Amino acid sequence: MIKVAIIGGGNVAYHLTKAFKTSKKVEVALFSGRDDLSKKIINIDICIIAVSDSAIVEVAKKLLDLNVLVAHTSGSVAIKNLPNKRCGVFYPLQTFSKEKKVNFNNIPICLESNNTEDFNILKILAGYISNSIAAVSSEQRRALHVAAVVANNFSNHMFTIAEGICKENDLSFDLLKPLILETADKIKTLDPFIAQTGPAKRHDLDTIQNHENLLKNSIHKKLYKQITQSILNTYGQKL
Amino acid sequence: MIKVAIIGGGNVAYHLTKAFKTSKKVEVALFSGRDDLSKKIINIDICIIAVSDSAIVEVAKKLLDLNVLVAHTSGSVAIKNLPNKRCGVFYPLQTFSKEKKVNFNNIPICLESNNTEDFNILKILAGYISNSIAAVSSEQRRALHVAAVVANNFSNHMFTIAEGICKENDLSFDLLKPLILETADKIKTLDPFIAQTGPAKRHDLDTIQNHENLLKNSIHKKLYKQITQSILNTYGQKL
C-alpha cells in the first residue's frame, strides 16, 4: 500500500485523487495548498503537488521537514526547482475539466526523478492507474507541454471559433461534431501530415480568399490567414 | 432503386461510391470528369458531381442534355452556379482521406434544392447512407464550410505542428494521442468554450512567454502568439 497525499484544489488534483481511489494499492488523501501541510501530512509516502505552476515551490517548501518523496504534476516546471531532498515529477498528459470524467488507463504519465529508487516508486504508483508510463526529462517535458498546448488548447479554440461561426449563421454546432471526432480519430492510424485536407492543402486560393472575405471578426480573419499560410508553408506552397 | 452516377476522381467520390454500394436501394456507377459523360451516363436518376470546386460548372455543362437531377458535393459552390434545370447540393460534412475508412451513418449530409420534389429525392438518397440530414442554404453552407475548415483542417495542422515539436525533442507523438482524442471527445458533452484549458485560459503569462521563447520556427512562434491572443480575447483577458 502506497500512501499518497495530493495537494491542490484544481482539476488535476480532483481527477488524480479520483483515479487513485479506484486502486486498492493506494491510500489517498487530498489537501489544500493553504493547509498547514507539515502538521497535517503524517504517515505519507509520496506528496503530489498539483497546484498552479507559480505556487509549486511555495508548497514544496512547506514539505521540507517531512522525509517524503515530493512530486509535482506540471508540464512546465523543471525538477531542479523543487527544494526537497527527494523529489520527482508525475505529469499526467491530459486535459482535465471538472465536468468531464476521464479514464486514466491510457493517459501517459510522464515521470522524472533524480535517483533510480524514487523513479521506481513513481513508476509503481503510476502503474496502478495507467498503462502508459514514460521517462521524460525536464527539458523534454517543457517541449512536450508546448506540443500539448498546440494539440489540445489551440484545437479546442478552433472548435470555439467554429461554433461561433455556426451560431452567427443559424447552424447547429452538432453538424460539426462528427467531423471533429473524425479529425482526432484519423491520427490513430494516419500521420497528421498525411491526414491534412482542405483548401490550403489543395492550394485552392479562390476558396481561401472567399473564406477570408466571409470572416467578420478581425482576429479570426487574421488567424485564418496565418494558419493557412502555415499549412501552405508546410506543404511547400505559396499564397 | 435509385440509380446514381458519381463523377469525380478524389476522396469524396471514392468514399461516397463505397457508401452507396452498401445500400441495396442504390445502384451506383463512378465516372471520371474527363469522360464523355452525356454519352456514357444512360438510365440514371441522379448525377453527383464530386470534382474540385473550380471544375464543377464545367462538368455540370456536360450533363445539360440529360434530364437528370444534378447535385454537387461542395461546401463552397452556390446552387445558382449550376446551369442544369434540375439541380441540388449533396454536401457530406466530413474529412475524407483515401487511406482511412469512414462510417457514413453519422455524417451530416447537407442538402439543398430549388424545388421540394428534388429536395425530397436527395433526402431519400441521403437517408440510405446516413441518419443525419440537414437542409442548408447556399449562404449557410459557405459559412459551414469555413467553420469546418477551422474545426478540422486547422486542428489537424495543430497536430502536425505538435508532432514536429515532439520529433525535435526525441519524444514519441504517441504521447499526445490520448490528449488529442480526449480534446475531441470532450465536445460531445461540453461546449468548447467551457472545455478550454491551458495557459492562455488561466492567464498564465509566464508559461506563455516560456513557450514563445521555446519555439524556434518563426511561423509557429507567430501562430502561438496569435492563437494565444485570440484565446485571451475570447475570455476577456489581455496579454
Side-chain angles (χ1 to χ4, degrees):
Chain A
M1 181 72 85
I2 301 185
K3 291 178 182 169
V4 178
I6 295 180
I7 303 154
N11 295 335
V12 176
Y14 171 81
H15 284 288
L16 209 50
T17 306
K18 267 188 82 169
F20 282 131
K21 278 188 178 162
T22 64
S23 167
K24 285 174 184 166
K25 307 265 179 85
V26 182
E27 204 176 286
V28 63
L30 181 63
F31 298 90
S32 151
R34 287 187 213 93
D35 286 341
D36 189 351
L37 296 170
S38 64
K39 281 192 184 156
K40 285 201 170 178
I41 295 178
I42 304 156
N43 200 14
I44 287 282
D45 304 307
I46 307 175
C47 283
I48 296 182
I49 304 176
V51 301
S52 63
D53 287 2
S54 58
I56 289 173
V57 174
E58 188 194 334
V59 170
K61 280 181 184 163
K62 292 187 187 180
L63 305 169
L64 280 172
D65 292 343
L66 306 170
N67 182 31
V68 292
L69 173 52
V70 174
H72 73 67
T73 59
S74 163
S76 306
V77 176
I79 192 170
K80 66 175 186 215
N81 290 19
L82 288 176
N84 315 74
K85 212 167 151 191
R86 292 177 58 207
C87 58
V89 177
F90 192 97
Y91 171 48
L93 184 43
Q94 191 50 283
T95 166
F96 298 102
S97 296
K98 276 244 164 67
E99 306 85 351
K100 172 82 165 65
K101 272 192 190 174
V102 283
N103 178 355
F104 266 77
N105 275 353
N106 300 316
I107 297 180
I109 314 276
C110 303
L111 302 178
E112 186 179 6
S113 182
N114 292 328
N115 66 76
T116 315
E117 202 180 322
D118 285 338
F119 185 87
N120 286 337
I121 295 174
L122 292 176
K123 202 169 156 184
I124 291 166
L125 182 67
Y128 290 150
I129 54 171
S130 172
N131 300 314
S132 173
I133 294 160
V136 174
S137 72
S138 285
E139 204 187 341
Q140 283 181 311
R141 187 161 32 82
R142 221 158 58 107
L144 190 56
H145 189 233
V146 181
V149 165
V150 171
N152 162 259
N153 301 165
F154 288 4
S155 298
N156 185 74
H157 186 58
M158 296 302 134
F159 306 159
T160 305
I161 293 174
E163 187 184 32
I165 296 170
C166 285
K167 277 187 184 163
E168 282 166 21
N169 292 278
D170 284 326
L171 291 158
S172 165
F173 180 56
D174 286 347
L175 287 170
L176 288 178
K177 289 184 178 176
L179 177 69
I180 289 172
L181 291 168
E182 175 70 9
T183 306
D185 197 64
K186 265 187 171 182
I187 59 112
K188 284 193 206 161
T189 53
L190 281 184
D191 188 285
F193 180 87
I194 304 290
Q196 187 70 46
T197 57
K201 171 71 186 301
R202 303 193 289 274
H203 202 236
D204 176 352
L205 302 183
D206 287 343
T207 299
I208 291 168
Q209 192 54 59
N210 285 335
H211 284 182
E212 285 180 14
N213 296 342
L214 213 79
L215 289 165
K216 284 158 211 152
N217 179 311
S218 64
I219 294 178
H220 297 171
K221 198 192 274 279
K222 215 160 141 189
L223 275 188
Y224 189 98
K225 268 181 212 249
Q226 297 222 324
I227 300 174
T228 294
Q229 186 59 64
S230 181
I231 297 173
L232 289 169
N233 190 62
T234 301
Y235 294 90
Q237 292 170 328
K238 283 181 182 167
L239 253 190
Chain B
M1 180 73 85
I2 302 185
K3 291 177 182 170
V4 178
I6 295 180
I7 303 155
N11 295 333
V12 177
Y14 171 82
H15 284 289
L16 208 50
T17 305
K18 267 189 81 169
F20 281 131
K21 278 187 178 161
T22 65
S23 167
K24 285 175 184 164
K25 307 265 178 88
V26 182
E27 204 178 286
V28 62
L30 181 62
F31 297 90
S32 152
R34 289 188 211 93
D35 287 340
D36 187 352
L37 297 170
S38 64
K39 281 191 185 155
K40 284 202 170 179
I41 295 179
I42 303 158
N43 199 14
I44 287 283
D45 303 307
I46 306 175
C47 282
I48 296 182
I49 303 177
V51 300
S52 62
D53 288 0
S54 57
I56 289 173
V57 174
E58 188 194 335
V59 170
K61 280 182 184 162
K62 292 188 188 182
L63 306 168
L64 279 173
D65 292 343
L66 306 169
N67 182 31
V68 292
L69 172 54
V70 174
H72 73 67
T73 59
S74 162
S76 306
V77 177
I79 192 170
K80 65 174 186 215
N81 290 18
L82 289 176
N84 315 75
K85 213 166 148 190
R86 294 177 57 207
C87 59
V89 177
F90 192 97
Y91 171 49
L93 184 43
Q94 191 49 285
T95 166
F96 298 101
S97 295
K98 275 242 164 65
E99 306 85 352
K100 173 80 164 65
K101 273 190 192 174
V102 283
N103 178 355
F104 264 77
N105 275 353
N106 300 317
I107 297 179
I109 315 276
C110 304
L111 303 178
E112 186 179 7
S113 182
N114 292 327
N115 66 76
T116 315
E117 203 180 320
D118 285 339
F119 185 86
N120 286 337
I121 294 173
L122 292 174
K123 202 170 158 185
I124 290 166
L125 182 66
Y128 290 150
I129 54 171
S130 172
N131 300 314
S132 173
I133 294 160
V136 174
S137 72
S138 285
E139 206 186 341
Q140 283 180 312
R141 186 161 33 82
R142 223 157 58 107
L144 190 57
H145 189 233
V146 181
V149 165
V150 171
N152 162 260
N153 302 164
F154 289 3
S155 299
N156 186 74
H157 186 57
M158 297 301 134
F159 305 159
T160 304
I161 293 174
E163 188 184 30
I165 297 170
C166 286
K167 277 186 184 164
E168 282 166 21
N169 293 278
D170 284 325
L171 290 158
S172 166
F173 180 56
D174 286 346
L175 287 170
L176 288 179
K177 289 185 179 176
L179 177 68
I180 289 171
L181 291 168
E182 175 70 7
T183 307
D185 197 63
K186 265 186 170 183
I187 59 112
K188 283 193 208 162
T189 53
L190 281 184
D191 188 285
F193 180 86
I194 304 289
Q196 188 69 46
T197 58
K201 170 70 187 300
R202 302 194 289 274
H203 202 235
D204 177 351
L205 301 183
D206 287 343
T207 299
I208 291 169
Q209 192 55 58
N210 286 336
H211 284 182
E212 284 179 15
N213 295 342
L214 214 78
L215 288 165
K216 284 157 209 151
N217 179 311
S218 64
I219 293 178
H220 297 172
K221 198 192 275 280
K222 216 160 141 190
L223 274 189
Y224 189 98
K225 268 181 209 247
Q226 296 223 323
I227 300 174
T228 294
Q229 186 58 65
S230 181
I231 297 173
L232 289 169
N233 190 62
T234 301
Y235 295 90
Q237 291 172 328
K238 283 183 182 166
L239 254 189

